[in-house]
Amino acid sequence: MAPMKGLTVFVADLRKCRSHEEEERRVNKELANIRVKFKEHSLNSYNRKKYVCKLMYMSLLGYDVNFGHKEAVELANSAKYSEKQIGYLAVSLLISEDSGFMRSVLVSLRRDIHDTNEFNVCLALCAITNVPTREIAEALTEDILMQLLSPASSMFIKKKAALCLLRLFRRFPEQTRARTWAARVIPYMGHRDVGVTLSVTSLATALAQQFPEEMRKAASFAVRRLKSLVIDREFSVDYVYYKVPAPWLQIKLLRLLQYFPAPSSADLRGQLLNTLRHIIDVSQDVPRELQQMNAQYSILFEAINLGIHLDIDQGLMHESAMLLGRFITSRETNVRYLGLETMSHLAAYIDSLAPLKRYQGVIIQSLRDRDVSVRRRALDLLYSMCDVDSAKPIVSELLRHMATADLALREEMALKVAILTEKYATEYSWYVDVMMRLVSLAGDHMGDEVWHRIVQVILGNEELQMYACKISLQTLKAPVCHESAFKVSAYVLGEFGHLIANASDSAPIDQLKALQSKMSATSLSARAVALTTIAKFINLFPEIKTLCLRVLDRYRSALDAELQQRACEYYALATVESQDLMPTVFEEMPPFPERQSALMSRLLKQEGNTEDQRTWIPGGRDINRKHREQNSSQQDLQEDIPESAAATDPSFSEVPKELDEQAAADPAASALTPEEQERIAKSRKHYARLLWENDGILYDGDEIQVGLMAQYKPPAGRIGVFLGNKSAAAIYEISVHAFIKQSESKSVDCSALEIQLSSNQSSLPESLMPMAQSRIYFDVKCKQMYSTPPTLRISYTLAGAPSVLELQLPVTAAHFMDPVTISVNDFFARWKQLGEATVGGESQAVLKTPFLSSGTDAIQWLRSVVGGMGFALIQGADPVPDNLVAVGIATAEDAGRFGCLLRVEPKISHRMTRVTIRATNETLAKVVATNIGMVFASH
């Protein structure tokens, strides 16, 4: 691209600015100049590129650039490569995904993807990857897939197409319908070009995480390709990185195999095991060069992770444990990090933890590492390798380290200490001591789940309760008591304080004084717990009832509503003259039912989501076994779901028959799969758009695409139907018919609309090749007003299987309407006349219109819809500026002409719109109301 002098000067001016204010003045001056230039119609190509580049540069500097979008789209639509390049780059940087300009960009993208110039194809693929939208994913996924699968595509395009599909799948998995084509990309994992294989393997890895059954054949391709690289040494020298052949591809193949079980074939299993052993043997020699060491160790760690996941050779695991023990003592921080993480994975699968316990001292020492990520991995490993024998020393070390641990690490450490203590406690006194010390040390860095769980465990174990009361009272009498420890102590004494009431230093009055001594310094939530405890003291210890009532009475005038309400209610209960009321209300809490620990749920939620799902979780062999069983049961449940029945009956709700409310009442709708519901919603959107636009897509399926182009001159019209073959095979025996479909529920006058094939056109071809298109025209004529649109039936044969598709044509009585302009006085005179007349009809509806939140743009869209439906807007007829008033006249050849008046009253604050139609024909009023309702519902 040739240098642009004006851009160079502008960048130099900004770099010379000595302050932000000076730079901002220069930017504002340039923005004003560009606005003026864009308003000139004589702007040439060079200047348009230059000004758009300046806008991109200012946007990258952080300035708000809210114009120039139209010029960027025009550049993207240009036939010149230099203009197209800048246009797509500007679209990626300046235009948001929800902008209306993305529809124009979509047209350009579709054209460039099928361009014979591969540079234009690559530009389009890059633009899709940078600004993927839901509409782009729906419309272009099949086109991108064809670029990947087409034998005519170059290696360069195949790589970009695979990565583009990966991006769309991660952003919009439902719109890409990846389940239908996932298996078709697997053979390209064996492509001769390593770059194509690498890109397709990345795509296959993402697909395997969502559709393991469809991608099961990818495992055999990965094993064979891995063997050819590692053992057979079949690779190009262009992909050798410091004596390591294609390290990125090896890593991705090893990671892909971790999403599948061990191969059932003995041959594949042997090849995979030999490959893993070869990788481990080669890594025994420490490389001299840092780059070679990084590449080699990255492959090694993934190989060990795969060996652990497959769990096919315990000897290999013990050998891996020894190798990892060497890595966690390395001087390289990255090697220590990977060694600790991989050893955590090993602890989740290995039968005996003895090979790992020999490194326990080294792992504990890693808790003091300078790098916080290494300290976090050391914590994970200690948590995973803990068992009954090593629980006390590990928990003791974690508690000792907690006082100096990072704030970001302290919450996770506290959760893991609490879980380990509960899981491996063999002595009740040890559990209570550890947990009370834990809440005292890290109470500020943990949620309420920890002290809630302590209370649950104490309530469920009678042996714990007396000792817990003693420790709770000691905690309250200590000089310093953390708030979480105060809550636990208060709750426990309120439930079981009577168990220690006979001891010399644990009398009821001592318990109350200890509680009061710390109560005033705690938070409102802690004082609420303490008030409940005091109320329970009244029931447990009648001798201190007067003192307890005095405390409650003081809080009856508290400023906090919660404390005041509790104090008032407890005081009222305690002063009621009834011997049974207090014992019934403050009865001892029953044990909590057994269920998954809230601490474990909290810990699992803290696991970060990454692009590649983890196949294991920290926590040892037992929890990972449960995790695998749960995932297996979910997968089996998904496999039991039947496939979509739409392929056998395409006429089933492909397009809407009535409004959304009526469709929702259909009992068959509850049986639809998510894929069918998505396709129906998409078809409704296409149909609704064609109710006010004369050309567009009517149906976009996996095999064919149906487009529509209409021209109306009431009472006649001409409809063009375009058929496109989206499959990879030719379509034969094509037949297209249009007719008025009889309904069983209501009578339909088939003579109200005439529709027949146009005479002056060629017949349909015998076959339609892939990516080819054919068209056919129909002549329509409105005889009378009608309510049921015609039906389009398309039959064809693909791969020997006949298919029939029935679609409702968006040709309604409202399409035969001409706009008519009348004065404001005439409009309201006729509006009043139609409202009082017995002939004709009125239809009114209040519709949800959430799109009104966009303000001015939404009102402008409403005007476009009303105008597109054949109405003429009457300006100034309504005192509310946003309200729309319009007039149209529908023409039928036999029945004559019918006037139709329309009022649209949007309420932006409520996101609702009232639509009122009055017409001289009742059927026409209902049809217009139905059309508007469908358009609003689909927007």
Side-chain angles (χ1 to χ4, degrees), residues 728-748:
I731 292 178
Y732 299 93
E733 301 177 4
I734 306 171
S735 176
V736 180
H737 298 284
F739 57 94
I740 305 295
K741 194 171 185 178
Q742 291 282 1
S743 174
E744 297 179 0
S745 59
K746 54 185 178 181
S747 60
V748 178

Side-chain angles (χ1 to χ4, degrees), residues 210-279:
Q210 299 295 329
F211 315 116
E213 184 62 26
E214 285 76 6
M215 297 297 294
R216 63 186 184 277
K217 292 183 180 180
S220 59
F221 277 88
V223 171
R224 294 189 180 96
R225 192 59 189 261
L226 196 60
K227 175 179 176 293
S228 68
L229 285 172
V230 177
I231 297 179
D232 300 336
R233 312 290 292 179
E234 296 177 359
F235 52 83
S236 172
V237 294
D238 296 334
Y239 290 92
V240 177
Y241 178 81
Y242 287 91
K243 302 179 183 179
V244 181
W248 297 277
L249 179 56
Q250 290 191 52
I251 292 171
K252 287 191 176 292
L253 292 172
L254 290 167
R255 187 168 297 171
L256 171 62
L257 289 170
Q258 295 177 40
Y259 296 103
F260 299 100
S264 56
S265 169
D267 182 34
L268 282 178
R269 185 190 293 259
Q271 291 181 22
L272 183 56
L273 192 58
N274 291 337
T275 303
L276 295 179
R277 286 196 175 278
H278 187 275
I279 293 174

Side-chain angles (χ1 to χ4, degrees), residues 10-77:
F10 175 64
V11 173
D13 290 345
L14 291 182
R15 296 182 67 180
K16 292 177 183 177
C17 295
R18 297 184 178 182
S19 65
H20 179 70
E21 291 75 13
E22 185 180 353
E23 178 185 278
E24 189 172 358
R25 285 195 299 270
R26 180 67 180 89
V27 167
N28 290 334
K29 179 181 178 182
E30 190 64 33
L31 287 174
N33 177 59
I34 295 175
R35 287 181 187 272
V36 173
K37 294 296 183 182
F38 280 167
K39 291 179 181 180
E40 298 178 0
H41 298 288
S42 60
L43 195 66
N44 58 30
S45 171
Y46 172 81
N47 287 327
R48 183 181 286 110
K49 290 192 296 182
K50 179 180 66 176
Y51 294 136
V52 170
C53 286
K54 288 183 179 181
L55 291 178
M56 287 191 287
Y57 185 72
M58 286 183 278
S59 176
L60 291 174
L61 290 178
Y63 293 96
D64 185 21
V65 178
N66 54 12
F67 69 98
H69 300 171
K70 178 183 176 183
E71 286 71 19
V73 173
E74 289 177 357
L75 289 174
N77 287 327

Side-chain angles (χ1 to χ4, degrees), residues 264-306:
S264 56
S265 169
D267 182 34
L268 282 178
R269 185 190 293 259
Q271 291 181 22
L272 183 56
L273 192 58
N274 291 337
T275 303
L276 295 179
R277 286 196 175 278
H278 187 275
I279 293 174
I280 293 176
D281 293 341
V282 170
S283 301
Q284 299 293 337
D285 300 329
V286 180
R288 294 183 179 180
E289 297 181 355
L290 178 62
Q291 291 85 350
Q292 183 181 356
M293 182 183 69
N294 289 337
Q296 198 163 300
Y297 282 175
S298 299
I299 297 172
L300 173 63
F301 285 122
E302 285 298 336
I304 294 175
N305 281 325
L306 177 58

